Amino acid sequence: MSRQLIYKSLLVIIIGCLTFLGGLQLYKHRHFQTPMVAGPSVTQVKKLSDYVPDLKGTMADTNVFFLEGKEPGGKMLVIAGTHSNEPAALLSALIFLENSTVEKGTLIIIPQFNNSGGRNTRSGDGYPLYFQIKTRWGHKKFRMGNRVASPLDQWPDPDVYVHYPDRQLLSYLDIRNTNRTWPGRPNGSLMEKVTYAAMELIRKENVDLAIDVHGAETMFPVTNCIVAPENSLRIATMTSLTLKATEGFDNHVEPSPKGFRGLSHREIGDFSDALPFLLEAPIPFLDQPTGPKTVDLLLEGKDPFLLKLSKKGKLFVPYDEQGWPISKRVGQHCSAVLEIAKQFSRRNSEKALKISHVPRYADVVNNGVGFYYKDPSKADKKNVFYN
Amino acid sequence: MQKNKIKSMFSFLSLFIFLFMMTGGFNHSQELPKAQFPVLTTSAGQSPDVTTLNIVCEEAGILYDYCDVPDVDMISQGVGLGGQESQPGFHVEIHTNLEQYPEGTHYKTIMFAIGASLKGMGASGLTVDDEVNRLKNIIEYCKENDVFIIGIHVGGVSKRGAPGSDNERMISAVAPYADLLIVTNDSNKDGRFTEISNNNEIPLKEIDYALNLVPLLQEIFNQ
Amino acid sequence: MSIVMIVYYLISAYLLAMLIWNFYRENKSVDKMLQYILIMIPLILRIFRAK
């Protein structure tokens, strides 16, 4: 064997080993399953592929939990995990899933809407692969995902994403972003099928309220708010005013722009009878000018660069040395969802929703997020689902 | 001599107390004047706060007309705003009880939601200067025609700014000429509205939260 | 699988073949050898559909 060949073989073996070791971490992350304990009101667990069969067997398929009250009433859909790098959404949805008692109406929860995105990461930005939430029984581990679906599941990307049906030109990346592919289509890209499946769910189940839960940068104006189109504005405004007066936190209302296509708060209302809302809570982790993207930054939101920028008036939210902890974000989401349901029920008594045993803002801030999670190892196995 | 001094002091004190009570004291916030229908809501600065105002009116059961960028001609057309219809950059809603106040009835009250938004002004094709001039003309019309002006600022600190900023120019265009000012505590953190109220003898009502507008407007409109 | 996807896989296979050929022929620059290997990695993973 020539020296060159030995040398090259060694190079291939070394690079191969390094690739394997690095890849193994990513493989484990992709296949890591988070257990979710179905609460007392969960009556059935479906899949998105029940609405679009093409999703079956793909990484895009995901669990859809139905919590049906004894009394018929309105139907509310809570979508979390559209952007899996905004963990407050999933954490809030899990609180609803594991604790809600639905007395009237139906609550439908999709905790990990972009399941592929939840198994993606952003290694170039130094994203942590996991984070843990302290609970009463130990720690609960979650994957830290990415904003868009994994290219392993949907590939290749076009040069420019031509949005269906209006043909608005969007960034190529947004074809993997489930907050740009609404209303979707049954024969489109994988993420278009995901949003189409959700639209089919909304139409077939006659959903009245659809709430998409998110997080946004502190340096972005559309943060700490409820985004609502025209038909939802009244409920959104009363929710915002009531939350400020009764629970003491700001959650201003942003009107949904008609000219920006593909977003849930626009398309759900345009293609169904449901009233859409999109909730944003501030997540300093996503801001560009921060220090290293650590788990601490993700969960506590404390950053010295953002603090300096805040003092110069560059942030769109009040920000101090306390940061913006996950309990505050999750608490806001819990209260906003409950209040939207309440304001809707006030105006539509025959379609009221009555949900109890879900904590509001002050409770989550005082007790912490993990206080409300059940220990899956102690739960009945038939009530434990994995995502 | 002693008796005369005591008498003079007593008279002076009585006169002072009398005058104090007549003027309502130095605190203009105690007075809550009443407003009449029909009422028009509009924006001073095109911020979304006017949507908050409209929704609060609905919650309070107050039937109103709304136009985001009316001019004097439109306002002078009264209820129904002369048949104007919404189009891109221009919004009209007619909710006034037409049986009670038929189309063409002159507005008795105009409520301004004060807060600047370049996005909102841009959508209506207005510059900041255009908006300020529009407001000036409307204020003049209101003064000439005895229309009751309510200036409302509930946008908080985010709808304030440095002197001369867009938000402050909107406040300057409306607040000193209002017949009643309603602001949240956050909006009045620097006391600017208190100063305007004191300098122009305008009743000022401070509320903790925007939601408190509901019972307040009910009281003002006798709902 | 659509025709476009088949074409993409064929293009990836062709690029991989070219990279292997150039890696085999490269005798001087270690930098270039390393570059060829690194660029091959995603193409190999794609063709073998390793997830």
Side-chain angles (χ1 to χ4, degrees):
Chain A
M1 219 184 203
S2 75
R3 238 171 129 178
Q4 278 291 335
L5 199 57
I6 295 169
Y7 189 61
K8 283 179 184 176
S9 303
L10 267 169
L11 258 183
V12 168
I13 289 166
I14 291 168
I15 300 291
C17 286
L18 287 171
T19 306
F20 176 78
L21 286 170
L24 189 61
Q25 283 183 78
L26 296 173
Y27 178 86
K28 281 183 175 171
H29 173 262
R30 179 174 163 83
H31 295 278
F32 178 84
Q33 302 278 50
T34 306
M36 298 182 187
V37 180
S41 282
V42 174
T43 50
Q44 51 176 329
V45 183
K46 289 187 177 179
K47 291 276 198 189
L48 266 189
S49 55
D50 290 337
Y51 300 92
V52 170
D54 269 1
L55 291 174
K56 200 175 175 75
T58 70
M59 204 53 108
D61 203 3
T62 191
N63 289 327
V64 181
F65 295 87
F66 284 72
L67 291 77
E68 291 159 297
K70 290 196 171 70
E71 273 184 77
K75 285 187 180 169
M76 179 164 75
L77 169 65
V78 173
I79 299 171
T82 298
H83 295 151
S84 299
N85 57 347
E86 297 161 11
L90 165 63
L91 298 175
S92 317
L94 203 54
I95 287 181
F96 275 87
L97 175 64
E98 295 195 352
N99 296 277
S100 295
T101 300
V102 178
E103 291 152 43
K104 184 172 178 166
T106 302
L107 176 59
I108 306 169
I109 302 174
I110 307 178
Q112 188 87 72
F113 186 55
N114 189 342
N115 197 27
S116 171
R119 293 160 193 285
N120 192 10
T121 185
R122 205 182 285 187
S123 22
D125 275 13
Y127 270 26
L129 291 177
Y130 308 94
F131 62 93
Q132 300 205 49
I133 299 288
K134 193 167 169 216
T135 64
R136 283 176 287 177
W137 39 270
H139 284 86
K140 192 172 177 83
K141 189 174 175 182
F142 296 87
R143 288 184 315 268
M144 174 62 175
N146 196 4
R147 182 177 171 79
V148 296
S150 170
L152 292 175
D153 301 313
Q154 184 178 305
W155 177 80
D157 296 332
D159 285 337
V160 174
Y161 171 36
V162 181
H163 180 258
Y164 173 84
D166 45 86
R167 304 186 68 76
Q168 186 171 79
L169 302 182
L170 300 173
S171 157
Y172 77 97
L173 263 179
D174 281 335
I175 201 166
R176 287 187 272 130
N177 177 356
T178 45
N179 201 25
R180 297 292 186 275
T181 55
W182 294 85
R185 49 185 161 171
N187 55 351
S189 68
L190 196 61
M191 292 304 111
E192 285 178 323
K193 288 178 185 174
V194 166
T195 43
Y196 182 75
M199 286 302 311
E200 285 288 276
L201 184 162
I202 289 169
R203 288 185 284 247
K204 285 184 176 154
E205 305 291 343
N206 294 316
V207 168
D208 299 295
L209 301 169
I211 306 178
D212 190 6
V213 188
H214 283 257
E217 296 89 327
T218 60
M219 294 183 76
F220 186 52
V222 185
T223 192
N224 213 26
C225 64
I226 306 170
V227 188
E230 305 74 32
N231 288 350
S232 308
L233 260 183
R234 185 167 168 177
I235 291 177
T237 303
M238 284 311 297
T239 298
S240 169
L241 296 179
T242 308
L243 289 175
K244 174 74 182 176
T246 59
E247 301 195 42
F249 66 87
D250 275 310
N251 216 346
H252 70 273
V253 176
E254 283 281 338
S256 169
K258 280 186 183 163
F260 193 176
R261 310 308 311 194
L263 290 90
S264 59
H265 53 72
R266 175 48 50 193
E267 308 293 356
I268 289 176
D270 286 358
F271 286 86
S272 76
D273 295 329
L275 297 177
F277 303 85
L278 189 143
L279 307 183
E280 295 277 18
I283 167 170
F285 181 90
L286 292 184
D287 281 290
Q288 291 303 315
T290 66
K293 303 290 187 194
T294 60
V295 171
D296 271 344
L297 176 61
L298 178 69
L299 296 179
E300 298 302 321
K302 290 180 191 172
D303 183 78
F305 299 101
L306 285 182
L307 192 59
K308 272 203 173 124
L309 288 166
S310 164
K311 289 174 180 161
K312 291 179 191 293
K314 300 296 182 192
L315 270 53
F316 286 91
V317 296
Y319 187 86
D320 58 21
E321 289 81 2
Q322 304 302 314
W324 207 287
I326 192 82
S327 54
K328 225 174 137 177
R329 298 173 238 157
V330 170
Q332 280 186 210
H333 284 324
C334 287
S335 281
V337 169
L338 288 171
E339 193 60 39
I340 287 171
K342 189 172 154 196
Q343 292 295 334
F344 175 79
S345 301
R346 274 181 66 209
R347 288 159 183 75
N348 302 277
S349 51
E350 74 289 356
K351 280 188 170 188
L353 282 143
K354 254 179 127 179
I355 302 167
S356 57
H357 296 112
V358 175
R360 283 200 172 235
Y361 175 73
D363 297 321
V364 181
V365 167
N366 288 334
N367 296 325
V369 175
F371 181 85
Y372 299 99
Y373 294 145
K374 304 225 163 48
D375 185 351
S377 65
K378 296 214 163 71
D380 190 341
K381 293 248 178 304
K382 66 175 170 53
N383 290 334
V384 181
F385 297 85
Y386 291 88
N387 232 129
Chain B
M1 211 44 183
Q2 192 76 358
K3 271 188 187 171
N4 283 338
K5 263 192 185 170
I6 292 169
K7 266 189 189 170
S8 313
M9 271 178 64
F10 184 73
S11 306
F12 176 72
L13 209 59
S14 304
L15 181 66
F16 178 79
I17 291 168
F18 176 74
L19 285 173
F20 185 89
M21 285 170 70
M22 283 297 108
T23 59
F26 300 114
N27 186 358
H28 292 282
S29 64
Q30 302 288 356
E31 297 176 28
L32 194 62
K34 300 295 182 188
Q36 291 176 285
F37 291 100
V39 58
L40 173 72
T41 65
T42 187
S43 176
Q46 306 308 311
S47 75
D49 293 316
V50 70
T51 308
T52 303
L53 174 58
N54 290 345
I55 288 168
V56 160
C57 284
E58 285 165 22
E59 284 293 308
I62 290 166
L63 299 175
Y64 62 95
D65 280 1
Y66 160 65
C67 183
D68 53 354
V69 283
D71 55 27
V72 169
D73 283 337
M74 285 180 213
I75 293 175
S76 64
Q77 304 282 327
V79 170
L81 238 47
Q84 295 280 347
E85 282 178 6
S86 294
Q87 49 185 286
F90 178 77
H91 300 93
V92 172
E93 289 172 27
I94 309 299
H95 301 291
T96 299
N97 183 347
L98 295 176
E99 280 176 18
Q100 211 174 350
Y101 306 103
E103 280 189 13
T105 311
H106 288 301
Y107 295 111
K108 292 256 172 67
T109 306
I110 295 185
M111 293 201 278
F112 291 86
I114 306 172
S117 163
L118 286 177
K119 187 168 135 192
M121 283 186 262
S124 299
L126 295 169
T127 63
V128 177
D129 286 336
D130 290 338
E131 179 70 352
V132 169
N133 288 335
R134 187 183 70 81
L135 292 168
K136 274 194 178 129
N137 293 337
I138 294 174
I139 299 287
E140 260 176 45
Y141 168 86
C142 289
K143 292 300 180 193
E144 282 163 13
N145 291 277
D146 220 15
V147 177
F148 192 78
I149 300 171
I150 304 179
I152 297 173
H153 193 293
V154 293
V157 169
S158 65
K159 285 283 162 252
R160 295 294 313 275
S165 64
D166 299 342
N167 279 314
E168 298 303 307
R169 287 183 69 188
M170 299 304 145
I171 294 171
S172 300
V174 173
Y177 311 101
D179 297 298
L180 170 63
L181 286 169
I182 304 174
V183 303
T184 55
N185 295 331
D186 276 349
S187 293
N188 196 28
K189 242 183 182 142
D190 62 353
R192 187 175 178 204
F193 287 100
T194 309
E195 195 186 327
I196 292 172
S197 161
N198 287 338
N199 291 346
N200 300 282
E201 293 183 8
I202 302 168
L204 169 69
K205 188 72 189 170
E206 269 193 70
I207 51 180
D208 290 327
Y209 305 108
L211 193 62
N212 299 138
L213 270 174
V214 175
L216 184 60
L217 289 180
Q218 284 174 332
E219 196 184 330
I220 291 167
F221 283 92
N222 275 333
Q223 286 294 98
Chain C
M1 198 186 288
S2 65
I3 290 175
V4 169
M5 284 305 294
I6 294 171
V7 170
Y8 269 114
Y9 277 106
L10 288 173
I11 291 170
S12 302
Y14 172 75
L15 286 171
L16 180 64
M18 290 298 106
L19 283 163
I20 292 172
W21 176 238
N22 280 286
F23 175 73
Y24 174 74
R25 285 191 328 154
E26 182 59 52
N27 290 321
K28 288 183 188 154
S29 166
V30 176
D31 275 353
K32 281 194 176 167
M33 284 183 213
L34 269 172
Q35 276 174 32
Y36 289 134
I37 297 173
L38 288 173
I39 295 167
M40 269 188 245
I41 294 170
L43 292 168
I44 292 170
L45 292 173
R46 177 58 65 187
I47 288 165
F48 288 99
R49 300 172 66 129
K51 293 185 185 186

